[in-house]
Amino acid sequence: MKRIVAILFTTVTLFTASLFGAGKEIVIGCLQDISGPTSSLGKMVEAGAKWHIDEINAKGGVNGAKIKMITYDTKADVNEAINALTRAITSDKVCAIIGPPIANIVLAIAPISEQYNVPILHLAVDIRSEIKDDGTTYKNTFGMQPNNLQMGAIMGQYAIKNGFKTFGVMYNQSNAYAVSLLEPFTKAVTAAGGTVVKEVAYTANDKDYKTLLSPLVSAKVDAIYMPNYTQDLILITQQARGLGYEGALIAGLDAGPPFNTMLGEDCDKIYYINNVDDTEPKLKDMIKAVKEKAGIDATNKFFLGYDIAGILNQVLAETGPDPDKIHDAMLKVKDYDGLTGKITIDPANHMPTGLEMVMFTYKGTTPVMLERYSAK
Amino acid sequence: MSSVLLTNILTQILINVICVAGIYVLTGMTGMFSLGQAAFMAIGAYVSGLLVTKAAFPFLPACAAAVAVAVAVGFVVGFPTVRLRRDYISLVTLGFGEAITGILNYFTPITGGASGLTGIPKKTDLGLALVSALIVVAAVGLFKTSKYGRQCIAVKSDDLAAKAMGVNAPRIKMTAFLLSVAVTAYSGCLYAFYTTYVDPTLFGWKKSAEWVIIVFFGGVNSLTGSVLSTVVLGGLPEFLRFLGEYRNVIYAILVLLIINFRPGGLLGEWELPFGKVLRRPDTGGE
Amino acid sequence: MQLQIILNGLALGSVYALIATGFSLIFNILKFSNFAHGATMAFCAFAGYFVAAANKMGLVPTIAVAVATGGLVALCGEFVAFRSITVRNASPIYYFVSSITLGTLLEGLVTIKAGANFYNYPLFFKKRIMKFHGLVISTSDVIMFCCSAAALLILVWVIRKTRLGRGLRAVSFDRDTAGLMGINVIRTIQFAFLLSGMLAGLAGVFLGINYTLYPTLGSLVVKGFIASVIGGLGSIAGALIGAVLLGLAETQLVNLVGSTLTPVLTFVIMLVFLLLRPRGIAGSNIQEKA
């Protein structure tokens, strides 16, 4: 008799639990620059994350619960971002946040997020987004792509491997991303026996780079390193070529497509890194599907957003929508097989370790994949 | 809306009220346009932030020092400029703002450069912002009804006539400028210790221009109007998030309508009668 | 090397000159700094892009579209943002605030259409650069120089020789008296805005060619502002000289101290200059009126 009661009780409990569970939603936040100067990046991350979440929900969601993603616009503004973060955590009770791709915004929300438990999976490369001035980590921020030290080292070491010896550097001193990628590159290059002949800085107010480029061009350096945003890269390339510079140009992520179509001329001898190999058939199919269904030309931020959503999906399946548990599980992410590589989070600094990047160049205006490379 | 979010928004609005009160002294009362006022906010924010994070100053002395530095810099900038015609003041302050941004970006090891200054402790809460805003607004109100305030308004209406009446115009403009600088710098301190993070992009000339527009929206001759319009225009975007990209356009159309069809601004010259409570009943007007 | 830098400075200066003339035209007649001029440039550049350049129509149609748009936008802007201030004869402060707001409006409209993305005009010239005894100059700079020189010559001719131009000068000298003498003041102001808008369109296209297209392209108006103040507010010749000087000074400073500290030195030089010669290079000292 007791046994029958016990069985009945368990069945009823399980049944009610599943009944409630099935209708439940897991709410996550997506805090991106949807308007403002960096909106093209933010919108891309959002689209990638949404694409993956739609896939997950179409397959029945996480343990029967659908994921609901709410997007918050930071307007690329620190104050707006803080408000949006507070709204996401305290009003909408999201259990995890897909964070913005811009260091300035992540640096601003990292200390504010300390008072909560909600992990923020962001794409800023500056290691100061995870590590405080005293060397400890921020509780809730997780960088989800190689950081500035790794990226700079990858580009620097690869450049030397490619046979370049002398370098000029042209960077935007008013842009946090460009500044953060400067030193890691020059260190890697000098450590491997190369020389940086001259560094020149410009600011957001400058649009005419000829005077700054002249000394680099007349020094006949093997390569000019330009860790800047796409718009600057186009101007630098045009003006450097215009001044008769025939050497190589090395850029970060931002010389990837659509750079080649926007430059309006051949892009030979331009080297860049990418998070993914978008010439793979698997990705090509995805790009085509995205173009057909959503009308977007997917770029690397799309795939990064896609991977973050995938990692969240895996973590949520283990923990359920409990921010504390998600936080702990994030520290243990190991060998997640994403589009951007095998992602393993280092619990000591909240960043992926040993993630490879893909080296590219152009032939005419067609991207040519060189090899996958990770810094030593 | 959660209470935390509401507290945040109120704090931000109060900090803005302080900025706008500073602009009111300059533009509303004295008729000078500064396109570099945000740079003084930057000075307040960076000096106080650096003193606390790098030199272990306590919060309030750091603010006092920051305001003092800003006023000193303001004196250097203002001394040659207040004698010039109004467009030149806009130009010089504009150049000053760009110069400050350049300096902040250049000295990366100290200021953090483009990636900004991190690690500022959180000290500004709603209470502090509220008390500060009340004190600043009351002080500006008192200034307006004082002898200096009336001289400011005289200089604004007619520089030449004011001079003829024995008003030392450059000196009165300088007084207004420095008062405005001090108030703006203080708001910068509050801002830095509220967001705990500042970077150079926050302080461009467009921000200064925005404040001037807020003053005109509320009523260029009314402190009450300026404060009111800060609250309205500052709070509005948060409630109108759904407008997205159209927000700026609608905002601009609203302001254009006000300037064209209600040139006195929302409140014209009307003031809350705090002058009467605090002092004599004779409020100055244009 | 040094010669090349001077050449770069001249090229930059001629960009600034194109901005500064349109800017100074409005100052000349209404005595205020028209900050909407920048957003007008951006608006026209985008109009030229979306209507002509994106449909592979080449440089001339692009300029034509941009110039026509510029005239139209400036006329509408005058009606929407400045007319009632003129009629009311209110203080120039109102113009100033109104122009900044109009700028925000135009920039907002561009952002709605284009997003925050940037665009690039297609390559209009087969050869991007010209070489001349080891000196390099970009083709677009040369063409821009010729176009702006032609535009400015026409402008000067219009102002000096035509009836409308005489009206313009009269209204700029004394609006009330000109009105009493039978000049249609509003029509004349409209004419000034039309001209200034067309210049903005021309400037917009060349800014776009040189610096790519993006919604905040109009921020470059501050350079025109600085140039026209140095040159003497309201004087078109002064604006030209100021612009070239500014371009030359900036490139020299960039070469000497780097780009980041250039604004600091520009500021100091500007301050000293205004102390020594407050009316600018060619300006007459306009008495401040409320």
Side-chain angles (χ1 to χ4, degrees):
Chain A
M1 187 61 195
K2 265 184 184 170
R3 188 179 295 168
I4 295 173
V5 171
I7 291 171
L8 257 176
F9 183 76
T10 328
T11 336
V12 170
T13 327
L14 277 177
F15 183 70
T16 12
S18 66
L19 201 71
F20 281 109
K24 246 191 168 161
E25 277 179 338
I26 297 176
V27 186
I28 63 168
C30 184
L31 191 71
Q32 300 296 339
D33 304 353
I34 300 296
S35 54
T38 41
S39 61
S40 53
L41 304 177
K43 280 181 184 158
M44 209 43 103
V45 179
E46 185 204 12
K50 187 170 179 302
W51 188 263
H52 203 161
I53 285 169
D54 287 347
E55 282 178 6
I56 295 163
N57 285 343
K59 286 184 203 148
V62 183
N63 299 337
K66 292 259 160 66
I67 299 180
K68 182 182 170 199
M69 182 173 88
I70 308 178
T71 302
Y72 304 85
D73 185 3
T74 65
K75 301 190 183 122
D77 176 279
V78 168
N79 247 327
E80 291 282 352
I82 293 175
N83 286 351
L85 179 83
T86 316
R87 176 182 287 251
I89 295 176
T90 61
S91 291
D92 298 337
K93 314 271 184 223
V94 301
C95 62
I97 289 173
I98 300 176
I102 304 300
N104 298 60
I105 302 288
V106 178
L107 286 169
I109 60 176
I112 303 281
S113 70
E114 291 274 273
Q115 51 184 305
Y116 306 108
N117 290 320
V118 182
I120 301 168
L121 282 58
H122 66 86
L123 292 167
V125 298
D126 193 334
I127 58 159
R128 293 202 301 159
S129 313
E130 285 79 27
I131 300 173
K132 297 180 197 169
D133 293 343
D134 62 6
T136 57
T137 53
Y138 286 112
K139 192 165 95 194
N140 290 314
T141 48
F142 292 88
M144 302 306 291
Q145 66 169 330
N147 59 44
N148 59 325
L149 304 182
Q150 292 163 336
M151 276 193 196
I154 287 176
M155 284 184 277
Q157 292 177 11
Y158 192 81
I160 295 285
K161 188 184 161 200
N162 220 349
F164 302 134
K165 290 197 177 55
T166 54
F167 298 88
V169 179
M170 172 95 183
Y171 74 106
N172 183 343
Q173 199 163 24
S174 59
N175 179 309
Y177 168 73
V179 174
S180 76
L181 281 173
L182 169 73
E183 208 180 87
F185 178 86
T186 49
K187 268 193 181 155
V189 163
T190 7
T195 29
V196 176
V197 180
K198 194 167 169 60
E199 274 174 24
V200 287
Y202 63 95
T203 66
N205 290 333
D206 296 297
K207 292 287 172 248
D208 206 275
Y209 305 135
K210 289 189 216 90
T211 307
L212 287 168
L213 279 165
S214 299
L216 301 185
V217 175
S218 51
K220 294 203 187 326
V221 290
D222 294 339
I224 294 178
Y225 175 59
M226 41 176 200
N228 305 318
Y229 284 167
T230 313
Q231 189 180 4
D232 300 3
L233 294 182
I234 292 209
L235 292 174
I236 295 175
T237 311
Q238 285 177 350
Q239 296 182 15
R241 294 289 186 235
L243 288 171
Y245 176 71
E246 284 166 2
L249 292 155
I250 303 172
L253 304 164
D254 307 271
F259 171 85
N260 50 346
T261 48
M262 300 202 73
L263 183 67
E265 55 191 90
D266 284 351
C267 319
D268 294 85
K269 287 204 197 166
I270 292 173
Y271 295 83
Y272 68 96
I273 53 174
N274 202 338
N275 301 90
V276 292
D277 176 8
D278 48 13
T279 55
E280 271 179 7
K282 182 180 153 198
L283 287 189
K284 272 189 165 166
D285 291 347
M286 193 168 184
I287 291 170
K288 210 174 137 205
V290 173
K291 178 80 187 167
E292 273 166 17
K293 211 174 143 199
I296 309 171
D297 293 303
T299 60
N300 64 352
K301 293 282 177 296
F302 181 93
F303 304 109
L304 288 164
Y306 186 90
D307 272 5
I308 295 182
I311 291 178
L312 264 182
N313 176 37
Q314 180 183 309
V315 168
L316 283 168
E318 279 170 41
T319 63
D322 177 343
D324 284 328
K325 287 184 188 158
I326 298 175
H327 179 273
D328 294 343
M330 274 307 299
L331 293 172
K332 291 179 202 136
V333 169
K334 197 163 188 305
D335 289 336
Y336 171 83
D337 198 7
L339 302 173
T340 57
K342 278 211 189 321
I343 298 169
T344 301
I345 296 290
D346 182 348
N349 61 17
H350 294 200
M351 287 181 270
T353 47
L355 202 53
E356 287 173 330
M357 300 211 62
V358 193
M359 313 305 299
F360 276 91
T361 185
Y362 286 106
K363 195 170 177 63
T365 56
T366 322
V368 180
M369 193 276 216
L370 297 168
E371 63 175 307
R372 288 183 181 273
Y373 194 78
S374 91
K376 287 169 204 84
Chain B
M1 186 182 283
S2 69
S3 61
V4 191
L5 182 59
L6 198 63
T7 317
N8 275 2
I9 295 173
L10 283 177
T11 315
Q12 286 163 15
I13 290 179
L14 287 167
I15 295 175
N16 272 332
V17 164
I18 299 175
C19 299
V20 171
I23 301 291
Y24 177 75
V25 174
L26 196 67
T27 310
M29 285 170 58
T30 326
M32 292 190 283
F33 270 100
S34 169
L35 291 175
Q37 212 60 10
F40 288 108
M41 189 184 186
I43 294 180
Y46 270 90
V47 172
S48 62
L50 283 170
L51 284 175
V52 169
T53 52
K54 304 260 156 101
F57 263 56
F59 173 55
L60 286 175
C63 291
V67 171
V69 170
V71 170
V73 175
F75 186 80
V76 175
V77 176
F79 185 75
T81 19
V82 290
R83 286 167 174 73
L84 305 172
R85 52 172 282 125
R86 284 177 190 143
D87 296 272
Y88 291 5
I89 298 172
S90 323
L91 175 75
V92 169
T93 47
L94 175 90
F96 172 69
E98 309 253 293
I100 290 292
T101 309
I103 289 173
L104 291 178
N105 278 325
Y106 189 76
F107 293 99
T108 309
I110 303 168
T111 60
S115 13
L117 182 62
T118 51
I120 306 170
K122 181 146 181 142
K123 296 278 186 194
T124 307
D125 53 14
L126 185 58
L128 178 63
L130 184 64
V131 172
S132 306
L134 284 177
I135 292 175
V136 167
V137 170
V140 171
L142 279 177
F143 182 74
K144 185 179 174 182
T145 55
S146 75
K147 184 180 90 185
Y148 294 107
R150 286 197 298 273
Q151 290 185 346
C152 284
I153 292 166
V155 167
K156 173 189 161 191
S157 338
D158 196 331
D159 211 328
L160 219 60
K163 274 182 197 155
M165 296 298 286
V167 175
N168 185 343
R171 184 161 166 191
I172 203 70
K173 281 184 183 173
M174 192 69 178
T175 315
F177 184 63
L178 291 184
L179 178 62
S180 165
V181 164
V183 168
T184 320
Y186 179 61
S187 78
C189 303
L190 289 180
Y191 178 85
F193 288 85
Y194 160 72
T195 57
T196 74
Y197 170 83
V198 282
D199 71 44
T201 57
L202 303 165
F203 307 105
W205 68 269
K206 289 205 170 152
K207 183 138 199 157
S208 309
E210 223 172 81
W211 289 334
V212 173
I213 290 175
I214 289 179
V215 167
F216 272 79
F217 188 83
V220 69
N221 296 316
S222 161
L223 175 60
T224 319
S226 302
V227 171
L228 183 75
S229 79
T230 319
V231 176
V232 172
L233 294 179
L236 218 55
E238 189 55 33
F239 299 99
L240 298 180
R241 282 190 95 91
F242 63 91
L243 284 173
E245 299 170 311
Y246 289 89
R247 198 179 57 115
N248 275 344
V249 172
I250 289 170
Y251 178 92
I253 291 175
L254 258 178
V255 176
L256 278 181
L257 284 176
I258 286 277
I259 292 174
N260 279 291
F261 295 106
R262 209 180 144 75
L266 277 182
L267 294 189
E269 297 194 3
W270 186 82
E271 288 284 15
L272 259 186
F274 48 50
K276 283 180 194 159
V277 183
L278 292 166
R279 200 191 270 249
R280 306 183 303 271
D282 56 338
T283 41
E286 198 173 13
Chain C
M1 183 68 193
Q2 192 56 36
L3 214 57
Q4 178 69 52
I5 292 170
I6 292 175
L7 201 61
N8 293 348
L10 284 175
L12 191 63
S14 57
V15 177
Y16 292 169
L18 207 48
I19 306 173
T21 21
F23 192 81
S24 124
L25 202 58
I26 299 302
F27 191 94
N28 195 4
I29 194 153
L30 287 179
K31 314 290 179 250
F32 79 101
S33 305
N34 180 17
F35 268 71
H37 195 71
T40 311
M41 295 190 302
F43 193 93
C44 303
F46 271 96
Y49 178 83
F50 283 118
V51 176
N55 302 324
K56 302 194 171 37
M57 300 215 307
L59 182 62
V60 177
T62 307
I63 291 183
V65 170
V67 168
T69 318
L72 201 66
V73 167
L75 277 183
C76 294
E78 189 272 333
F79 182 70
V80 173
F82 306 120
R83 178 68 59 83
S84 78
I85 302 172
T86 316
V87 172
R88 236 181 23 242
N89 216 349
S91 149
I93 303 182
Y94 287 97
Y95 284 120
F96 188 70
V97 175
S98 215
S99 79
I100 292 181
T101 317
L102 180 64
T104 318
L105 178 63
L106 290 173
E107 194 180 302
L109 291 174
V110 171
T111 315
I112 288 173
K113 166 74 186 157
N117 298 338
F118 71 96
Y119 295 78
N120 202 3
Y121 278 125
L123 214 54
F124 288 124
F125 326 107
K126 279 214 176 67
K127 275 183 62 156
R128 199 183 274 290
I129 46 160
M130 294 177 179
K131 280 198 174 154
F132 185 75
H133 291 295
L135 293 176
V136 183
I137 187 160
S138 62
T139 318
S140 63
D141 282 341
V142 174
I143 296 195
M144 180 186 66
F145 190 82
C146 299
C147 282
S148 28
L152 294 179
L153 283 176
I154 297 173
L155 181 71
V156 170
W157 178 77
V158 167
I159 292 179
R160 299 233 169 237
K161 300 286 175 197
T162 64
R163 215 182 125 76
L164 275 167
R166 272 200 296 281
L168 209 67
R169 281 182 288 151
V171 173
S172 132
F173 188 72
D174 188 335
R175 200 196 303 166
D176 295 336
T177 317
L180 292 175
M181 305 293 279
I183 293 173
N184 188 336
V185 174
I186 294 292
R187 199 48 46 80
T188 314
I189 291 174
Q190 278 179 326
F191 181 62
F193 270 93
L194 179 75
L195 289 178
S196 139
M198 289 164 76
L199 283 174
L202 190 64
V205 172
F206 282 108
L207 287 178
I209 292 174
N210 276 347
Y211 305 144
T212 70
L213 285 167
Y214 50 101
T216 52
L217 181 69
S219 300
L220 283 163
V221 71
V222 300
K223 304 289 188 188
F225 177 44
I226 297 174
S228 54
V229 172
I230 294 176
L233 274 166
S235 153
I236 289 174
L240 280 177
I241 300 168
V244 173
L245 280 183
L246 183 67
L248 284 172
E250 276 193 359
T251 37
Q252 288 296 340
L253 286 175
V254 162
N255 189 42
L256 287 174
V257 299
S259 157
T260 322
L261 286 184
T262 297
V264 182
L265 285 177
T266 319
F267 169 66
V268 174
I269 294 174
M270 207 156 69
L271 211 57
V272 173
F273 177 82
L274 286 181
L275 267 179
L276 295 180
R277 198 176 164 84
R279 61 206 161 98
I281 293 167
S284 52
N285 204 354
I286 306 157
Q287 182 56 49
E288 184 129 28
K289 278 181 276 191

